[in-house]
PDB file of all heavy atoms in Angstrom:
ATOM      1  N   SER B  40     -36.521   2.349  23.952  1.00 98.00           N
ATOM      2  CA  SER B  40     -35.997   1.133  23.191  1.00 98.00           C
ATOM      3  C   SER B  40     -35.940   1.399  21.721  1.00 98.00           C
ATOM      4  O   SER B  40     -35.089   0.792  21.033  1.00 98.00           O
ATOM      5  CB  SER B  40     -36.831  -0.113  23.486  1.00 98.00           C
ATOM      6  OG  SER B  40     -38.181   0.200  23.133  1.00 98.00           O
ATOM      7  N   LYS B  41     -36.741   2.330  21.196  1.00 98.00           N
ATOM      8  CA  LYS B  41     -36.677   2.678  19.834  1.00 98.00           C
ATOM      9  C   LYS B  41     -35.697   3.814  19.537  1.00 98.00           C
ATOM     10  O   LYS B  41     -35.148   3.842  18.465  1.00 98.00           O
ATOM     11  CB  LYS B  41     -38.098   3.135  19.321  1.00 98.00           C
ATOM     12  CG  LYS B  41     -39.116   2.012  19.226  1.00 98.00           C
ATOM     13  CD  LYS B  41     -40.379   2.705  18.579  1.00 98.00           C
ATOM     14  CE  LYS B  41     -41.598   1.871  19.045  1.00 98.00           C
ATOM     15  NZ  LYS B  41     -42.849   2.658  18.901  1.00 98.00           N
ATOM     16  N   ILE B  42     -35.636   4.701  20.542  1.00 98.00           N
ATOM     17  CA  ILE B  42     -34.737   5.924  20.285  1.00 98.00           C
ATOM     18  C   ILE B  42     -33.299   5.693  20.736  1.00 98.00           C
ATOM     19  O   ILE B  42     -32.367   6.134  20.019  1.00 98.00           O
ATOM     20  CB  ILE B  42     -35.376   7.141  21.012  1.00 98.00           C
ATOM     21  CG1 ILE B  42     -36.834   7.324  20.547  1.00 98.00           C
ATOM     22  CG2 ILE B  42     -34.552   8.407  20.713  1.00 98.00           C
ATOM     23  CD1 ILE B  42     -37.021   7.658  19.069  1.00 98.00           C
ATOM     24  N   GLY B  43     -33.075   5.147  21.935  1.00 98.00           N
ATOM     25  CA  GLY B  43     -31.710   4.952  22.346  1.00 98.00           C
ATOM     26  C   GLY B  43     -31.015   6.162  22.899  1.00 98.00           C
ATOM     27  O   GLY B  43     -29.848   6.285  22.847  1.00 98.00           O
ATOM     28  N   ALA B  44     -31.793   7.112  23.427  1.00 98.00           N
ATOM     29  CA  ALA B  44     -31.235   8.448  23.775  1.00 98.00           C
ATOM     30  C   ALA B  44     -30.488   8.306  25.151  1.00 98.00           C
ATOM     31  O   ALA B  44     -29.508   9.076  25.379  1.00 98.00           O
ATOM     32  CB  ALA B  44     -32.282   9.412  23.852  1.00 98.00           C
ATOM     33  N   PHE B  45     -30.921   7.371  26.047  1.00 98.00           N
ATOM     34  CA  PHE B  45     -30.344   7.302  27.334  1.00 98.00           C
ATOM     35  C   PHE B  45     -29.290   6.201  27.406  1.00 98.00           C
ATOM     36  O   PHE B  45     -29.608   5.061  27.028  1.00 98.00           O
ATOM     37  CB  PHE B  45     -31.373   7.131  28.374  1.00 98.00           C
ATOM     38  CG  PHE B  45     -32.205   8.396  28.654  1.00 98.00           C
ATOM     39  CD1 PHE B  45     -33.335   8.701  27.981  1.00 98.00           C
ATOM     40  CD2 PHE B  45     -31.816   9.300  29.621  1.00 98.00           C
ATOM     41  CE1 PHE B  45     -34.083   9.839  28.106  1.00 98.00           C
ATOM     42  CE2 PHE B  45     -32.578  10.466  29.867  1.00 98.00           C
ATOM     43  CZ  PHE B  45     -33.695  10.754  29.135  1.00 98.00           C
ATOM     44  N   LEU B  46     -28.171   6.467  28.086  1.00 98.00           N
ATOM     45  CA  LEU B  46     -27.195   5.381  28.371  1.00 98.00           C
ATOM     46  C   LEU B  46     -27.467   4.879  29.730  1.00 98.00           C
ATOM     47  O   LEU B  46     -27.152   3.646  30.001  1.00 98.00           O
ATOM     48  CB  LEU B  46     -25.741   5.919  28.235  1.00 98.00           C
ATOM     49  CG  LEU B  46     -25.261   6.181  26.799  1.00 98.00           C
ATOM     50  CD1 LEU B  46     -23.888   6.864  26.823  1.00 98.00           C
ATOM     51  CD2 LEU B  46     -25.229   4.897  25.988  1.00 98.00           C
ATOM     52  N   SER B  47     -27.985   5.706  30.640  1.00 98.00           N
ATOM     53  CA  SER B  47     -28.265   5.214  31.921  1.00 98.00           C
ATOM     54  C   SER B  47     -29.263   6.186  32.557  1.00 98.00           C
ATOM     55  O   SER B  47     -29.290   7.349  32.100  1.00 98.00           O
ATOM     56  CB  SER B  47     -27.037   5.016  32.868  1.00 98.00           C
ATOM     57  OG  SER B  47     -26.401   6.263  33.069  1.00 98.00           O
ATOM     58  N   PHE B  48     -30.007   5.818  33.606  1.00 97.00           N
ATOM     59  CA  PHE B  48     -30.684   6.780  34.462  1.00 97.00           C
ATOM     60  C   PHE B  48     -30.891   6.217  35.787  1.00 97.00           C
ATOM     61  O   PHE B  48     -30.884   4.977  35.981  1.00 97.00           O
ATOM     62  CB  PHE B  48     -31.942   7.290  33.830  1.00 97.00           C
ATOM     63  CG  PHE B  48     -32.954   6.236  33.361  1.00 97.00           C
ATOM     64  CD1 PHE B  48     -33.674   5.491  34.272  1.00 97.00           C
ATOM     65  CD2 PHE B  48     -33.123   5.949  32.035  1.00 97.00           C
ATOM     66  CE1 PHE B  48     -34.582   4.546  33.822  1.00 97.00           C
ATOM     67  CE2 PHE B  48     -34.042   5.008  31.585  1.00 97.00           C
ATOM     68  CZ  PHE B  48     -34.785   4.292  32.518  1.00 97.00           C
ATOM     69  N   ASP B  49     -31.039   7.079  36.771  1.00 98.00           N
ATOM     70  CA  ASP B  49     -31.216   6.729  38.169  1.00 98.00           C
ATOM     71  C   ASP B  49     -32.576   7.303  38.568  1.00 98.00           C
ATOM     72  O   ASP B  49     -32.738   8.505  39.004  1.00 98.00           O
ATOM     73  CB  ASP B  49     -30.085   7.408  38.944  1.00 98.00           C
ATOM     74  CG  ASP B  49     -30.177   6.976  40.473  1.00 98.00           C
ATOM     75  OD1 ASP B  49     -31.207   6.563  40.954  1.00 98.00           O
ATOM     76  OD2 ASP B  49     -29.128   7.087  41.166  1.00 98.00           O
ATOM     77  N   GLU B  50     -33.558   6.501  38.375  1.00 98.00           N
ATOM     78  CA  GLU B  50     -35.032   7.013  38.592  1.00 98.00           C
ATOM     79  C   GLU B  50     -35.304   7.481  40.012  1.00 98.00           C
ATOM     80  O   GLU B  50     -35.832   8.513  40.212  1.00 98.00           O
ATOM     81  CB  GLU B  50     -35.954   5.829  38.251  1.00 98.00           C
ATOM     82  CG  GLU B  50     -37.365   6.148  38.159  1.00 98.00           C
ATOM     83  CD  GLU B  50     -38.202   4.919  37.837  1.00 98.00           C
ATOM     84  OE1 GLU B  50     -37.687   3.976  37.161  1.00 98.00           O
ATOM     85  OE2 GLU B  50     -39.413   4.966  38.177  1.00 98.00           O
ATOM     86  N   ALA B  51     -34.760   6.694  40.984  1.00 98.00           N
ATOM     87  CA  ALA B  51     -34.993   7.052  42.365  1.00 98.00           C
ATOM     88  C   ALA B  51     -34.362   8.372  42.666  1.00 98.00           C
ATOM     89  O   ALA B  51     -34.997   9.233  43.367  1.00 98.00           O
ATOM     90  CB  ALA B  51     -34.446   5.958  43.303  1.00 98.00           C
ATOM     91  N   LYS B  52     -33.170   8.630  42.253  1.00 98.00           N
ATOM     92  CA  LYS B  52     -32.461   9.943  42.526  1.00 98.00           C
ATOM     93  C   LYS B  52     -33.228  11.057  41.930  1.00 98.00           C
ATOM     94  O   LYS B  52     -33.464  12.103  42.512  1.00 98.00           O
ATOM     95  CB  LYS B  52     -31.050   9.828  41.972  1.00 98.00           C
ATOM     96  CG  LYS B  52     -30.218  11.022  42.249  1.00 98.00           C
ATOM     97  CD  LYS B  52     -29.337  11.484  41.097  1.00 98.00           C
ATOM     98  CE  LYS B  52     -30.208  11.985  39.969  1.00 98.00           C
ATOM     99  NZ  LYS B  52     -29.677  12.974  39.108  1.00 98.00           N
ATOM    100  N   THR B  53     -33.716  10.880  40.683  1.00 98.00           N
ATOM    101  CA  THR B  53     -34.441  11.894  39.948  1.00 98.00           C
ATOM    102  C   THR B  53     -35.748  12.263  40.741  1.00 98.00           C
ATOM    103  O   THR B  53     -36.043  13.448  40.846  1.00 98.00           O
ATOM    104  CB  THR B  53     -34.719  11.475  38.523  1.00 98.00           C
ATOM    105  OG1 THR B  53     -33.488  11.379  37.795  1.00 98.00           O
ATOM    106  CG2 THR B  53     -35.618  12.477  37.748  1.00 98.00           C
ATOM    107  N   LEU B  54     -36.378  11.248  41.184  1.00 98.00           N
ATOM    108  CA  LEU B  54     -37.663  11.532  41.883  1.00 98.00           C
ATOM    109  C   LEU B  54     -37.481  12.172  43.261  1.00 98.00           C
ATOM    110  O   LEU B  54     -38.166  13.048  43.684  1.00 98.00           O
ATOM    111  CB  LEU B  54     -38.396  10.186  42.096  1.00 98.00           C
ATOM    112  CG  LEU B  54     -39.071   9.603  40.817  1.00 98.00           C
ATOM    113  CD1 LEU B  54     -39.632   8.259  41.043  1.00 98.00           C
ATOM    114  CD2 LEU B  54     -40.163  10.523  40.244  1.00 98.00           C
ATOM    115  N   ARG B  55     -36.278  11.818  43.819  1.00 98.00           N
ATOM    116  CA  ARG B  55     -35.911  12.516  45.149  1.00 98.00           C
ATOM    117  C   ARG B  55     -35.709  14.007  44.814  1.00 98.00           C
ATOM    118  O   ARG B  55     -36.163  14.799  45.685  1.00 98.00           O
ATOM    119  CB  ARG B  55     -34.599  11.907  45.679  1.00 98.00           C
ATOM    120  CG  ARG B  55     -34.749  10.894  46.808  1.00 98.00           C
ATOM    121  CD  ARG B  55     -33.542  10.669  47.662  1.00 98.00           C
ATOM    122  NE  ARG B  55     -32.250  10.535  46.813  1.00 98.00           N
ATOM    123  CZ  ARG B  55     -31.844   9.474  46.245  1.00 98.00           C
ATOM    124  NH1 ARG B  55     -32.562   8.338  46.312  1.00 98.00           N
ATOM    125  NH2 ARG B  55     -30.709   9.467  45.648  1.00 98.00           N
ATOM    126  N   GLU B  56     -35.018  14.273  43.802  1.00 98.00           N
ATOM    127  CA  GLU B  56     -34.715  15.738  43.487  1.00 98.00           C
ATOM    128  C   GLU B  56     -36.035  16.404  43.229  1.00 98.00           C
ATOM    129  O   GLU B  56     -36.229  17.634  43.556  1.00 98.00           O
ATOM    130  CB  GLU B  56     -33.778  15.869  42.279  1.00 98.00           C
ATOM    131  CG  GLU B  56     -32.343  15.363  42.632  1.00 98.00           C
ATOM    132  CD  GLU B  56     -31.427  15.509  41.442  1.00 98.00           C
ATOM    133  OE1 GLU B  56     -31.738  16.092  40.407  1.00 98.00           O
ATOM    134  OE2 GLU B  56     -30.300  14.995  41.577  1.00 98.00           O
TER     135      GLU B  56
END
Side-chain angles (χ1 to χ4, degrees):
Chain B
S40 57
K41 289 185 204 160
I42 304 297
F45 286 87
L46 286 174
S47 63
F48 53 75
D49 184 342
E50 189 179 336
K52 184 223 65 152
T53 297
L54 289 172
R55 261 199 318 277
E56 290 179 12

